[in-house]
């Protein structure tokens, strides 16, 4: 199993899992893990921590951009096995507990099966645990609106629409923006390359997802780390503006 771990800035690593990315922020021996891939990505998550000289015991917290299975996959495992706190935007906490599910349905995927890439993606998603129940037993709301007292000092940036409580993270000192699924640079079901919204079927409220692009237009950054697709280097403001144009 190959784990694609790439250092993109000081103390910041983008990891490409199986169709989904996560980010590791390091500070000495401690790390912050942002997202955890699919349930089937667990070995890759652990290998990526080892690749940056860390371990699951050294994870200060897991930050989850949103509670879809391809981002939430190993959050409960880390919480239960190592006592790692799992933080989300307060509106996303009940979603992580699976009090409700804002995730594309199998029926909707099948209706879109004629689109290029959808059926291969769906098969991969199911095999990777995309429909598995992986609720977080005790998720916690983000402790503050400003810089978090965690490795990397990430700043939460609420970006609702993809889900009610989707939240991106800004690392002002490095120019890094971790955008989750609110702004991506590619996806197996999209023919577009570069900054974009995910295809419509993936958003709980597409209009809000489009509106949330303004949050990125307010950020000073030049390294975009999306939930799907490669790192995008260049003005995050311009990337968000391009995604807005493409969504029109």
């Amino acid at each position: 199993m190959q784990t694609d771990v790439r250092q993109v800035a000081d103390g910041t690593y983008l990891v490409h899992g199986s169709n989904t990315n996560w980010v590791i922020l390091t500070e000495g021996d401690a790390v912050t893990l942002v997202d955890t891939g699919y349930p089937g990505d667990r070995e890759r998550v652990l290998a990526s921590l080892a690749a940056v000289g860390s371990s699951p015991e050294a994870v200060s917290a897991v930050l989850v951009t949103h509670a879809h299975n391809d981002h939430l996959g190993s959050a409960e495992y880390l919480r239960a096995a190592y006592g790692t706190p799992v933080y989300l935007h307060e509106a996303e906490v009940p979603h992580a507990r699976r009090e409700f599910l804002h995730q594309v349905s199998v029926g909707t995927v099948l209706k879109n099966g004629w689109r290029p890439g959808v059926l291969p993606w769906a098969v991969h998603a199911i095999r990777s645990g995309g429909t598995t129940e992986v609720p977080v037993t005790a998720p916690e709301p983000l402790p503050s609106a400003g810089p978090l007292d965690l490795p990397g000092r990430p700043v939460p940036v609420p970006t609702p629409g993809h889900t009610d409580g989707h939240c991106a993270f800004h690392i002002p000192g490095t120019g890094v923006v971790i955008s989750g699924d609110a702004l991506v640079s590619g996806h197996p079901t999209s023919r577009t390359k570069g900054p974009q919204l995910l295809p419509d079927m993936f958003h709980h409220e597409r209009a809000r997802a489009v509106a949330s692009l303004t949050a990125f237009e307010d950020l000073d950054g030049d390294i975009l780390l999306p939930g799907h697709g490669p790192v995008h280097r260049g003005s995050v403001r311009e990337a968000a503006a391009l995604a807005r144009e493409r969504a029109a």
Side-chain angles (χ1 to χ4, degrees), residues 62-149:
V62 173
L63 303 180
V64 180
T65 58
H66 64 295
H68 283 165
N69 273 20
D70 58 332
H71 298 259
L72 196 67
S74 289
E76 174 63 11
Y77 164 75
L78 291 168
R79 190 205 66 79
Y82 300 98
T84 313
V86 177
Y87 294 116
L88 308 93
H89 186 278
E90 62 181 354
E92 199 72 1
V93 166
H95 194 194
R97 287 196 296 256
R98 286 297 181 262
E99 294 177 15
F100 54 83
L101 182 61
H102 289 164
Q103 189 163 292
V104 65
S105 68
V106 172
T108 298
V109 171
L110 291 176
K111 287 179 184 177
N112 285 271
W114 60 273
R115 298 180 183 276
V118 169
L119 289 182
W121 166 82
V123 170
H124 173 271
I126 291 170
R127 288 177 174 171
S128 300
T131 58
T132 305
E133 282 288 316
V134 287
V136 179
T137 303
E140 301 177 51
L142 290 164
S144 66
L148 302 176
D149 187 18

Side-chain angles (χ1 to χ4, degrees), residues 3 13 26 29 34 45 51-52 54 72 99 105 110 136 140 150 170-171 177 207 212 214 220-221 227-228 233:
T3 304
Y13 299 83
T26 64
D29 295 333
V34 185
V45 171
V52 303
S54 188
L72 196 67
E99 294 177 15
S105 68
L110 291 176
V136 179
E140 301 177 51
L150 294 170
H170 184 205
I171 320 294
V177 175
S212 283
T214 59
D220 183 19
H228 302 275
R233 295 185 182 274

Side-chain angles (χ1 to χ4, degrees), residues 144-231:
S144 66
L148 302 176
D149 187 18
L150 294 170
R153 301 298 183 267
V155 180
V157 183
T159 42
H162 183 64
T163 63
D164 278 351
H166 190 289
C167 191
F169 297 93
H170 184 205
I171 320 294
T174 59
V176 166
V177 175
I178 303 168
S179 57
D181 284 5
L183 175 59
V184 302
S185 62
H187 192 267
T189 64
S190 172
R191 289 180 168 178
T192 303
K193 296 191 182 300
Q196 61 188 286
L197 286 181
L198 285 170
D200 292 355
M201 68 175 176
F202 292 113
H203 299 298
H204 179 59
E205 292 182 86
R206 183 182 184 276
R208 288 183 79 195
V210 173
S212 283
L213 290 170
T214 59
F216 296 108
E217 293 173 11
D218 293 336
L219 298 179
D220 183 19
D222 56 8
I223 304 174
L224 181 71
L225 306 184
H228 302 275
V231 58

Side-chain angles (χ1 to χ4, degrees), residues 4-16 21-26 52 171 173-178 222-226 229-234:
D4 187 351
V5 182
R6 305 190 182 197
Q7 184 168 6
V8 295
D10 288 345
T12 305
Y13 299 83
L14 179 66
V15 187
H16 296 289
N21 304 331
W22 56 89
V23 176
I24 301 173
L25 305 174
T26 64
V52 303
I171 320 294
T174 59
V176 166
V177 175
I178 303 168
D222 56 8
I223 304 174
L224 181 71
L225 306 184
V231 58
H232 177 81
R233 295 185 182 274

